Amino acid sequence: SSVQCRWDQRPWFRLLLNLVVDLNSPSAGSGPNKLAILKVFGSALHVAQPLVIPEFSFAWLELVSHRMFLSNMLVTHGQQGWEIAHQLLVDLFLFLEPHLRRNELTASVKEFYKGTLRVLLVLLHDFPEFLVSYHLSFCNVIPDNCVQLRNLILSAFPRGMILPDPFTPNLKIDLLPEIAQSPPVYSNITG
């Protein structure tokens, strides 16, 4: 009889987490190379996404959402790290998509979904402009029955914008000056 070997994600998680922490430690030489290092690490996480290595999904989610990685990708000058952060979130949603289409979720998928919601809540609070800019592509890969995920993304608005009070009597959306401002769309919607 053949012995089935179970893959343990913990050593790989510790190794990659230590790499993220060490690469983001303040040192004199890492300034100009920091973005390049983050991009390489993001590309490696894209290659090891949960669709490719499902056994690594929980560790992958924690690595992607780690404060030393995701927040550093999103605070880069000129939004240079946004594209890789966007790709990693799309990878996350694509992994969840077939599971969320089912009526019954397993306990592990429920926990993974909770982790995804927490990541989105952090992004909504700290980086709403990122969610606004990529809302189209995010909503395209989230199943229609995932109203909570979609609403989290679609409720994002830029920090400088002041939303009107929806309970104002005789509120006319068409007359608000903000209605003429189109949100930035960084998603590739042409193909």
Side-chain angles (χ1 to χ4, degrees):
S1 77
S2 64
V3 177
Q4 186 174 359
C5 182
R6 295 184 56 88
W7 189 71
D8 190 6
Q9 66 181 340
R10 292 175 297 179
W12 294 100
F13 170 72
R14 281 194 298 266
L15 175 72
L16 292 172
L17 181 63
N18 285 335
L19 237 136
V20 168
V21 171
D22 288 346
L23 293 175
N24 284 296
S25 65
S27 66
S30 68
N33 299 326
K34 185 174 186 173
L35 179 62
I37 291 169
L38 286 171
K39 283 184 175 183
V40 167
F41 197 80
S43 297
L45 287 173
H46 174 62
V47 170
Q49 64 180 284
L51 279 175
V52 177
I53 310 172
E55 300 88 2
F56 191 59
S57 59
F58 282 94
W60 184 89
L61 178 61
E62 191 165 342
L63 287 168
V64 165
S65 62
H66 196 273
R67 64 184 171 83
M68 292 280 209
F69 178 70
L70 187 59
S71 59
N72 284 340
M73 289 295 287
L74 296 176
V75 297
T76 55
H77 179 70
Q79 302 164 343
Q80 295 175 354
W82 283 27
E83 186 60 39
I84 290 180
H86 165 255
Q87 182 61 56
L88 292 173
L89 284 178
V90 168
D91 294 341
L92 170 63
F93 296 142
L94 287 175
F95 172 71
L96 273 174
E97 189 262 338
H99 300 288
L100 295 176
R101 288 203 183 273
R102 297 188 194 128
N103 291 335
E104 294 292 320
L105 299 178
T106 63
S108 58
V109 172
K110 284 181 185 177
E111 289 301 314
F112 197 81
Y113 180 74
K114 283 182 192 176
T116 302
L117 287 176
R118 288 183 179 141
V119 170
L120 283 178
L121 283 170
V122 168
L123 290 175
L124 180 64
H125 182 268
D126 294 344
F127 304 101
E129 293 85 2
F130 173 73
L131 291 178
V132 167
S133 299
Y134 289 103
H135 70 279
L136 274 175
S137 61
F138 290 152
C139 288
N140 280 340
V141 294
I142 296 174
D144 295 334
N145 62 334
C146 297
V147 178
Q148 188 176 24
L149 273 178
R150 286 173 168 265
N151 283 344
L152 270 175
I153 291 169
L154 295 175
S155 66
F157 61 93
R159 292 178 199 265
M161 182 177 281
I162 299 171
L163 297 181
D165 182 10
F167 299 111
T168 303
N170 302 324
L171 177 66
K172 302 285 186 210
I173 299 294
D174 300 350
L175 301 178
L176 295 174
E178 290 85 8
I179 199 74
Q181 299 172 0
S182 297
V185 178
Y186 294 160
S187 303
N188 182 4
I189 57 173
T190 59

